[in-house]
Amino acid sequence: MANDSTKAALGSTARDLSRLDSVPTATLGLLTIAAAIVLLHLLTNQRYGFHRDELQFLSDARHLDWGFVSYPPFTPFVERISLGLFGLSLVGLRLFSVIAQAAVIVVSGLMASELGGGRLAQCTAALAVALSPLPLFEGTEFQYTTFDVFWWVLIAYFVIRLLKSGDPRWCLAIGVTVGVGLMTKYTMGFYLAGIVGGMVLTRTRRFLATKWFWGGVGLAFLICLPNLVWQVRHGFVSLHFLQHIHHRDVGEGRANGFIKDQFLICANLFAAPLWIAGLVLFLRDARYRMLAWMYLIPFALFLVGQGRGYYLAAAYPMLIARGATAGESWVRSMRPLWRGVTEGVFFSGLATCGLYVCALIVPLASAGPLRNFALKNNGDLREEIGWQELVKTVAGIRDSLPAEQRARVGILVANYGEQGAIEMLGPAYHLPPPISGTNSAWYRGYPSPPPSTLIVLGLPRSYVDRKFTACQLAGHDGNLDGVENEESSDHPDIFMCGAPRQPWPEFWDDFQSFG
């Protein structure tokens, strides 16, 4: 009997040591995967130029407020920090995006750990998320969607901790993250519907009666209160903006293919068995069923409301983490030969899809076939081309004017890409700040006294002849690479005009636009 007791004690000790050993090993695996993605982005993010969306964030970062027409204030605030630390640097600008996506990868693996997964499950979840299209894309640009994805994933992790421990104090962490998420992107409201709906529809509703839940609600409200006040003062202009953008997206077919995008954009195609299994297992598990509703409710809202396919991408890491945990148990039950074959097929497929997505999304090359393939198939990369040439062309037109006209010239732009390019890249050519009626720039008004000569970008000939005096074609917007994008294809003409035909205040009221 003593011998049996000794063997049992030794076996227990061995299991404890194995468990202790696996924790740092698994963590090292997660950090290695995240570090590889960080290195990939740091080595490639300096290619091409700023995306038109990044130029808008840069412009708004120089005019910080508690709200902006097209988004809440968090992202421009981070952009302001980036400008202070790195100046006008592509790698520096995108560094915070890279860090956020690295964190998404690590937290995805940690979710698998909390759900009972070992080293294989954790690394599988992290790798599947790391090689998924939307997360890979988010590390290539500075976008508010980048941080939105991180907040969704972090909330899912906190919910898992809440459900696993039964400790309602996790509601505070959830509330804080929801608040910051609402200060990042308003689609957090759809996820919030899933969180609350998931609590009401499951036994997690018991937390609704705790002070910690209402404390979390209070923290979320306090965090986003400044933006709410800003919206009230500006007539909830962001709601009108979102309605306009949604109507545009539906009209242009951007909301088509929502179901297809869940497989091709939101997650690595070879990870589909993982997230499907994860959803089914969450539904069947009384403890974690809330997480299934956190996916299904936003899914239904986006599907019925004709949201764009990528809106739900941030909900997939939690499903992948659960599926990876189940997959680990499944392959461990196999004989060694079949286990090796199964793992080899899965990870080979995952890597193949990931490499294809990298070639499509990441600017791997500055010249040659890889660059041509990416530019042909990726509209976002094409929108990074030509901004320096545009600013140089405008500066050349300005320099061609007589000295007395140069002193009273203004640059009027039609979209936020042109606005950001002139504002951020123009100082190198001593250009005046842009005059823009797009989104939040409209609130900044026009110079006083108004310019008597205007260089007009991004507007058709019919509009400029109707709105301004003495217009003549002065140049064309293009790029040295001959890449067709919005600027070079949709509105390439640059005009030299006199003052508006209407008084400036009347013209300005009509010039406000959403974009």
Side-chain angles (χ1 to χ4, degrees):
M1 183 175 295
N3 190 41
D4 290 342
S5 299
T6 302
K7 288 181 178 180
L10 289 173
S12 176
T13 302
R15 286 192 297 272
D16 290 342
L17 289 174
S18 176
R19 190 179 300 114
L20 288 171
D21 181 63
S22 67
V23 171
T25 304
T27 303
L28 181 62
L30 301 183
L31 294 175
T32 300
I33 295 169
I37 296 298
V38 168
L39 183 62
L40 171 69
H41 289 309
L42 291 181
L43 292 176
T44 58
N45 271 352
Q46 81 281 5
R47 294 178 181 144
Y48 307 167
F50 295 106
H51 188 276
R52 63 170 56 252
D53 291 355
E54 293 176 316
L55 290 169
Q56 178 179 215
F57 287 121
L58 282 165
S59 174
D60 287 341
R62 298 184 64 180
H63 306 274
L64 288 182
D65 203 343
W66 283 112
F68 297 90
V69 169
S70 47
Y71 36 66
F74 178 84
T75 310
F77 173 73
V78 176
E79 188 101 319
R80 183 66 169 266
I81 295 174
S82 175
L83 280 171
L85 292 174
F86 307 109
L88 202 59
S89 161
L90 274 170
V91 175
L93 166 72
R94 295 167 177 171
L95 179 62
F96 288 102
S97 296
V98 174
I99 292 172
Q101 290 318 298
V104 166
I105 293 167
V106 173
V107 175
S108 298
L110 294 178
M111 284 193 288
S113 175
E114 292 297 328
L115 292 166
R119 183 171 56 204
L120 177 61
Q122 294 172 49
C123 291
T124 298
L127 189 63
V129 171
L131 296 179
S132 291
L134 199 282
L136 266 174
F137 167 77
E138 296 298 353
T140 65
E141 292 181 8
F142 187 90
Q143 297 272 1
Y144 60 2
T145 53
T146 304
F147 304 103
D148 181 59
V149 170
F150 175 61
W151 303 134
W152 279 51
V153 173
L154 190 60
I155 287 169
Y157 173 75
F158 290 148
V159 169
I160 290 171
R161 296 298 302 267
L162 169 70
L163 301 180
K164 182 179 179 179
S165 67
D167 187 346
R169 288 176 293 182
W170 284 104
C171 291
L172 298 179
I174 295 168
V176 168
T177 314
V178 167
V180 178
L182 287 169
M183 292 290 274
T184 303
K185 193 169 185 284
Y186 295 121
T187 49
M188 177 59 68
F190 293 91
Y191 198 36
L192 182 58
I195 295 168
V196 175
M199 296 187 81
V200 171
L201 293 171
T202 65
R203 66 185 190 183
T204 316
R205 70 179 68 92
R206 69 185 186 277
F207 294 120
L208 297 174
T210 67
K211 64 181 180 180
W212 303 107
F213 172 81
W214 293 105
V217 171
L219 288 172
F221 178 77
L222 286 175
I223 290 171
C224 59
L225 180 59
N227 181 247
L228 178 60
V229 172
W230 186 91
Q231 292 292 346
V232 171
R233 291 178 57 193
H234 290 80
F236 290 95
V237 65
S238 294
L239 178 61
H240 302 303
F241 167 85
L242 293 172
Q243 290 172 336
H244 168 82
I245 294 298
H246 179 66
H247 180 74
R248 180 205 67 185
D249 288 349
V250 172
E252 295 180 358
R254 298 187 186 188
N256 296 343
F258 181 83
I259 299 294
K260 177 187 69 177
D261 287 346
Q262 305 313 301
F263 293 88
L264 299 182
I265 293 179
C266 294
N268 187 299
L269 186 59
F270 253 74
L274 297 183
W275 67 258
I276 293 172
L279 176 60
V280 172
L281 291 169
F282 277 145
L283 279 170
R284 295 174 60 183
D285 190 331
R287 170 181 282 184
Y288 294 110
R289 191 170 295 139
M290 175 183 170
L291 290 152
W293 290 113
M294 285 167 56
Y295 170 84
L296 290 172
I297 291 175
F299 175 88
L301 293 173
F302 287 137
L303 181 64
V304 173
Q306 294 183 283
R308 297 183 68 175
Y310 71 86
Y311 287 176
L312 196 58
Y316 284 89
M318 64 181 180
L319 304 183
I320 290 172
R322 181 65 185 92
T325 303
E328 180 184 56
S329 299
W330 180 55
V331 297
R332 280 181 175 173
S333 67
M334 296 179 176
R335 293 183 177 182
L337 176 63
W338 287 110
R339 175 178 177 175
V341 170
T342 301
E343 291 181 355
V345 170
F346 174 77
F347 286 111
S348 296
L350 199 68
T352 300
C353 285
L355 287 173
Y356 176 79
V357 170
C358 280
L360 190 67
I361 292 176
V362 180
L364 296 174
S366 56
L370 272 176
R371 179 182 185 271
N372 295 337
F373 173 78
L375 289 176
K376 179 181 178 181
N377 295 282
N378 187 341
D380 282 296
L381 285 180
R382 292 196 295 272
E383 294 303 321
E384 297 180 6
I385 304 292
W387 297 112
Q388 285 284 1
E389 290 95 327
L390 170 62
V391 175
K392 186 176 181 180
T393 299
V394 171
I397 295 171
R398 186 273 318 271
D399 292 342
S400 69
L401 297 172
E404 61 273 14
Q405 274 189 283
R406 287 202 302 269
R408 294 290 305 277
V409 73
I411 303 172
L412 189 138
V413 300
N415 63 61
Y416 59 72
E418 297 160 350
Q419 167 199 325
I422 298 298
E423 183 168 0
M424 303 307 299
L425 307 177
Y429 298 90
H430 307 290
L431 292 176
I435 304 170
S436 173
T438 304
N439 300 340
S440 291
W442 183 80
Y443 291 109
R444 297 163 202 162
Y446 49 87
S448 180
S452 57
T453 301
L454 290 170
I455 301 173
V456 181
L457 312 179
L459 292 169
R461 183 73 194 234
S462 58
Y463 180 90
V464 297
D465 283 340
R466 188 172 69 252
K467 288 290 186 179
F468 304 101
T469 58
C471 288
Q472 57 182 333
L473 185 65
H476 296 280
D477 181 8
N479 55 80
L480 298 176
D481 298 309
V483 173
E484 290 193 11
N485 53 25
E486 182 178 333
E487 288 301 306
S488 64
S489 300
D490 294 355
H491 30 72
D493 295 333
I494 302 174
F495 298 95
M496 182 78 70
C497 298
R501 296 184 184 275
Q502 302 168 280
W504 268 96
E506 293 180 21
F507 165 75
W508 198 248
D509 286 342
D510 294 338
F511 195 54
Q512 183 180 21
S513 65
F514 293 143

